[in-house]
Amino acid sequence: MKITFLGTGHGVPTAARACSSTMIEVGDAIYLFDAGCPVTDRLLSMGREITDVKAVFNTHTHSDHVAGIYHLADLYNWRYRDSEIDIYFPEKRVCAAFENLIEATTRPLDRTRVRFHAVDGDFVYDDGVLRVTLFPTEHMTPVGRPSYGILIEAENKRIY
């Protein structure tokens, strides 16, 4: 398992720091945790294939954690038609917003390949390569919205 920080900045990016995004590589598969920075650009500049991204997990819906999702999902929708991706958000309405944005700006969304999922505190993802478990945090409590920390497990290693 290899961890790469694509962005570590807060809500306002700087020339030296992009917004939050972490890439976990396990074998040939790439998993993203938050995607506030322009993840497609970052991946390509690192020599990675966009189509190696299997899933994206978002801890909460502040723009500095989700802004890069649109471009990634849109590329999967129209350019990389032989690939598929799962994108997880802590709110159903955010899934709908991204689905609507893609359809409003490009073409109908192929929901069989570009899949948006709403999750809750009981969510566990396990594809046999990587296991992701959510646990609630209070980050978005003041505005009445969910947020999660993430436990990542792969190759007999655990990351919180």
Side-chain angles (χ1 to χ4, degrees), residues 40-61:
T40 54
D41 298 355
R42 294 289 236 210
L43 291 169
L44 293 172
S45 71
M46 297 171 64
R48 302 300 191 280
E49 296 293 328
I50 291 171
T51 54
D52 288 340
V53 178
K54 289 187 70 176
V56 182
F57 304 91
N58 295 284
T59 59
H60 63 287
T61 56

Side-chain angles (χ1 to χ4, degrees), residues 64-146:
D64 62 321
H65 289 255
V66 302
I69 295 293
Y70 168 73
H71 192 224
L72 180 67
D74 183 50
L75 283 172
Y76 269 82
N77 191 49
W78 71 269
R79 175 78 171 136
Y80 302 115
R81 293 183 184 174
D82 293 331
S83 300
E84 55 187 53
I85 189 168
D86 289 290
I87 301 169
Y88 298 90
F89 285 112
E91 293 183 75
K92 186 174 183 67
R93 68 181 177 167
V94 177
C95 294
F98 274 90
E99 291 169 348
N100 290 334
L101 181 60
I102 289 170
E103 291 192 340
T105 58
T106 59
R107 64 183 68 229
L109 179 63
D110 182 347
R111 287 173 169 82
T112 64
R113 294 182 309 93
V114 182
R115 297 176 295 268
F116 290 92
H117 309 274
V119 300
D120 59 27
D122 295 327
F123 173 77
V124 176
Y125 170 93
D126 191 341
D127 67 358
V129 175
L130 184 90
R131 181 178 170 91
V132 175
T133 306
L134 300 182
F135 54 92
T137 69
E138 295 186 11
H139 182 60
M140 300 281 283
T141 300
V143 293
R145 302 191 59 198

Side-chain angles (χ1 to χ4, degrees), residues 2-8 19-25 30-37 39 43 55-57 152 159:
K2 181 179 177 185
I3 304 166
T4 304
F5 296 102
L6 303 176
T8 58
C19 290
S20 299
S21 186
T22 302
M23 176 175 67
I24 305 281
E25 295 174 90
I30 293 174
Y31 303 88
L32 299 176
F33 295 84
D34 290 329
C37 71
V39 293
L43 291 169
V56 182
F57 304 91
I152 302 164
I159 304 166

